[in-house]
Amino acid sequence: MLLTAVVAIAVLLVLIIKVKLHAFYSLVIVSLLTAIVAGIPRTELVSTLTSGFGNTLSTVALLVGFGAVLGRIVEVSGGARVLADTLLARFGESRAPLALSVASLFYGFPIFLDAGFVVMLPIIYTVARRLGGSLMLYALPAAGAFLVMHALVPPHPGPVAASSLLGADVGLVLLVGLLVAVPTWYAMGYRLAYALAKRADFLPVPDLLGRPDDGGDQPRPRFGVILLVLLLPLVLIFGGTGSNTAVSNYGVAEDNPVVVVLQIVGATPVALLITSLLAMFLLVVRPNRGKVGGRLEEVVDSALAPVCSIILITGAGGMFGRVLTETGIGGALAGELDAAGLPLIVAGFLIAVALRVAQGSATVAGTTAAGLLAPAVAADPSLSALQLACLTVATAAGAISFSHVNDSGFWLVGRFLGLDTATTLKTWSVVSTGIGLMGFGLVWILWTVIS
């Protein structure tokens, strides 16, 4: 099975890099052939492929779609220009990559990587067009910041799920995660990403979100209005997360009307839907006093059309990951590591890495690794609450490492930046691995100090 996985990944890379076959077709073809070789029953073949594709799209398509529309509205209204001017005025043009990375770090605290990155893209594009130079100089440090928060800090799904399975206190996990995340972001998410971006070939700003449009002669929106539009999804998502915590930890009734409303509007797709509708009103309808004609439809179409290919490629990446999961490769590797007698925190990290490499999904890797560790944790009452938090963060760090072609996020980021597969491997994959390794190293040091 391990040989099958290695050959499948090698064939996929040859098809994309050497044969130049479109990534969507390459992923579907290799997924189908891998499923056949791995012995997935004929009656389950198609359902395995479509379930992997559909499950990925169910989480990605709405986030990318609403996020792309929101980002396009911010751009065509001139809001991206307003934000870019503000960031550059505060940090200076020479520190523009740092400014974008810091903004992404804060924005990525409650919002998932894929949604947050798509919303930030128009601002990144605007800064890159204004200052010149390769898009990579501005985009990769921002993407690295989003990845750090997505990997290590609740309320993101990996750390939250691992906390639940290992019996760790989410508040302590949040504290440990932030202690680890900040230096990891600076060293790997920003410094390493920026160094790799400087070494990469020049990358022009693509037109993936439509042709450049900063509102023309239309009056620029106020900075406060743009800030409201960008912060609203964070507030809504925080509200949903807080209501879930109140129900699970503080005995608040699930049918409490406030809880019900917060959980609905705090779901990420709903929060982005609400925000994009508000952005339409504040940034398109109101400035034109309602006389928009077909402008709204034009803006939405210009945002959605270019991202359809990215959504399909991302779904196909999820399909490939599901096929590898069904083969049992990841479980076999994890079982061997679990039986190797390693220190608990090292075993958690390595099991998560093995699962991540084998099937692609960081959330699945972290959750499965935590599930495998749970019996050992339950059998050791000497573990303190802080140690459990460290173990959770170590597992999450392993789950985010080594992003490659079976990870839907690999395709999402690479295609939105206009990168070819080889360049994505040399940049995004290296950054994700650096984040995972440094995050684990720091939390292992903390584990050693408190043990």
Side-chain angles (χ1 to χ4, degrees), residues 167-232:
D169 181 84
V170 176
L172 276 177
V173 172
L174 176 60
L175 176 62
V176 173
L178 287 174
L179 287 174
V180 170
V182 173
T184 300
W185 155 72
Y186 186 75
M188 298 295 170
Y190 170 62
R191 284 292 184 185
L192 176 62
Y194 186 67
L196 291 171
K198 289 177 69 175
R199 293 174 55 188
D201 293 336
F202 178 85
L203 184 69
V205 179
D207 295 330
L208 289 173
L209 298 180
R211 301 291 299 175
D213 184 350
D214 64 358
D217 296 330
Q218 177 180 311
R220 297 280 190 268
R222 295 193 306 274
F223 175 73
V225 173
I226 300 300
L227 203 60
L228 169 64
V229 167
L230 292 181
L231 292 182
L232 180 59

Side-chain angles (χ1 to χ4, degrees), residues 389-404:
C390 290
L391 182 59
T392 300
V393 174
T395 303
I400 207 66
S401 305
F402 299 97
S403 172
H404 66 99

Side-chain angles (χ1 to χ4, degrees), residues 290-327:
K291 299 176 182 179
V292 294
R295 180 62 170 162
L296 279 177
E297 185 177 3
E298 176 188 331
V299 170
V300 173
D301 282 342
S302 69
L304 293 180
V307 302
C308 288
S309 175
I310 294 171
I311 291 173
L312 288 174
I313 292 171
T314 304
M319 177 193 296
F320 185 45
R322 175 60 181 270
V323 169
L324 293 180
T325 301
E326 290 298 315
T327 64

Side-chain angles (χ1 to χ4, degrees), residues 126-143:
T126 300
V127 172
R129 289 189 181 108
R130 174 173 168 178
L131 300 183
S134 174
L135 172 64
M136 287 283 280
L137 295 173
Y138 311 102
L140 197 60

Side-chain angles (χ1 to χ4, degrees), residues 84-92 95 99 223:
D85 289 345
T86 303
L87 286 173
L88 295 178
R90 298 289 173 84
F91 284 82
R95 295 183 178 179
F223 175 73

